[in-house]
Amino acid sequence: MNMVQQRNSEILVIIPAYNEEATLVRTISELKRHTPYDFVVIDDGSKDRTPDIIKREGYPSLRHAVNLGIGGSMQSGYRYADQNGYLYAIQLDADGQHRPEDIEKLVNEIKASGYDMVIGSRFVELSSYRGSPLRRSGILYFHWLVRLLTGVRIYDPTSGFRIVNRSTIEQFSMSYPTDYPEVEVLVSLSKRGRKLKEISVEMRNRQGGSSSINWSKSIYYMMKVTMFSLIRKSFS
C-alpha cells in the first residue's frame, strides 16, 4: 500500500473507492481544484482498473486485499488519520455525488461550532436533489428511527458527506460499523453525548459506475441498520 509521504494539512479527506474507475480521476481533480487538503484513497479490494489508476496517478492510498465494505474502508481511513495526527477528517465518496466545492462549508462549520460531526445534508434546506422514491423513503425511515432512538433530528441520516473532529477520529479508529455505517454512527455518537449538526449542501447523482444497492439489499439494509441501531442504543 502507498502512504501519504508528508502531512501538509490538519485536514484529511478520506475517499473510499470500490470499482470506481469511471469517476475517481474526476473526483480527485475536483478535490485538488477546490481544496488544499491532504487526501487518501481507500481502495477496497477493487476488481476493475481502480488500482491501476491509483498507481498511474500516484494517489496516496491504502489497499484492502478483499472488499470490506464502506465501514471497513472508513475505519482504515480514520486509523490513518489518527496515526498521522490529523485534527479533522472528511468522507468524500469517489462516485462524484459529493461536491468538493462544498467541503469548505463543512470545515468552516465544524471549526466555528465546535461540534463533533457536521453532516452535509440534502434535506435540511431545499436543494435540487430528488433521488428515487425508494431512496427517499429509506432516508425518511431512518430520519424517524434516529429521532426515536436519540431525540435528535437528522434530516439526511444516510449522507456520507461528513466531517469529524479529532476526538471522533480517535473513537472511529477504534470502533466503526462494518457496513452501512452512517445511521448506526449517528445513534452511537448521540448516545455518547457527542454534538451533531447538519448544514445544507448540494449533491449530484452518481457520476459513473453503478450502485450496489438494489431492492433486496435495500430491505436487508433497513433491517440490519435498525437492529444494530437498537443494539447501539442499548449499549452505548
Side-chain angles (χ1 to χ4, degrees), residues 68-75 172 175-185 188 224 228 232:
L68 300 181
I70 184 65
S73 294
M74 288 308 301
Q75 186 169 24
F172 286 170
S175 176
Y176 202 76
T178 54
D179 59 358
Y180 310 125
E182 291 85 3
V183 175
E184 290 182 55
V185 161
S188 177
K224 176 190 178 296
F228 278 92
R232 286 183 179 274

Side-chain angles (χ1 to χ4, degrees), residues 103-143:
I103 285 177
E104 206 62 34
K105 292 182 181 179
L106 301 181
V107 172
N108 290 339
E109 186 62 40
I110 200 168
K111 287 184 174 181
S113 68
Y115 275 47
D116 298 289
M117 173 184 284
V118 174
I119 303 163
S121 173
R122 294 162 283 193
F123 306 119
V124 71
E125 296 178 7
L126 184 65
S127 76
S128 62
Y129 179 84
R130 294 297 174 262
S132 68
L134 174 63
R135 184 176 293 274
R136 291 180 68 92
S137 296
I139 292 169
L140 182 61
Y141 169 79
F142 287 123
H143 159 71

Side-chain angles (χ1 to χ4, degrees), residues 18-192:
Y18 177 64
N19 293 343
E20 298 291 0
E21 64 180 12
T23 57
L24 185 59
V25 171
R26 185 190 316 171
T27 297
I28 293 179
S29 294
E30 287 187 10
L31 176 65
K32 289 180 174 180
R33 186 162 65 249
H34 290 287
T35 80
Y37 306 130
D38 294 348
F39 70 91
V40 62
V41 180
I42 312 297
D43 176 15
D44 191 27
S46 296
K47 297 179 180 178
D48 65 354
R49 294 181 55 252
T50 297
D52 297 329
I53 292 170
I54 291 171
K55 183 177 180 180
R56 182 192 73 202
E57 299 293 332
Y59 295 146
S61 67
L62 305 173
R63 175 167 170 79
H64 296 159
V66 297
N67 180 251
L68 300 181
I70 184 65
S73 294
M74 288 308 301
Q75 186 169 24
S76 290
Y78 288 125
R79 284 177 176 171
Y80 181 85
D82 184 25
Q83 292 168 2
N84 288 275
Y86 287 96
L87 301 184
Y88 302 97
I90 301 166
Q91 178 178 341
L92 180 74
D93 288 351
D95 61 14
Q97 293 188 71
H98 303 159
R99 304 192 316 163
E101 56 262 46
D102 286 331
I103 285 177
E104 206 62 34
K105 292 182 181 179
L106 301 181
V107 172
N108 290 339
E109 186 62 40
I110 200 168
K111 287 184 174 181
S113 68
Y115 275 47
D116 298 289
M117 173 184 284
V118 174
I119 303 163
S121 173
R122 294 162 283 193
F123 306 119
V124 71
E125 296 178 7
L126 184 65
S127 76
S128 62
Y129 179 84
R130 294 297 174 262
S132 68
L134 174 63
R135 184 176 293 274
R136 291 180 68 92
S137 296
I139 292 169
L140 182 61
Y141 169 79
F142 287 123
H143 159 71
W144 284 108
L145 178 67
V146 172
R147 186 174 176 184
L148 176 66
L149 295 180
T150 68
V152 176
R153 292 188 180 189
I154 301 293
Y155 291 97
D156 198 357
T158 65
S159 170
F161 193 29
R162 39 183 79 178
I163 184 171
V164 300
N165 62 10
R166 175 68 194 175
S167 63
T168 310
I169 290 172
E170 293 171 353
Q171 177 182 329
F172 286 170
S173 71
M174 294 184 292
S175 176
Y176 202 76
T178 54
D179 59 358
Y180 310 125
E182 291 85 3
V183 175
E184 290 182 55
V185 161
L186 299 179
V187 174
S188 177
L189 289 179
S190 295
K191 299 309 293 183
R192 291 171 180 264

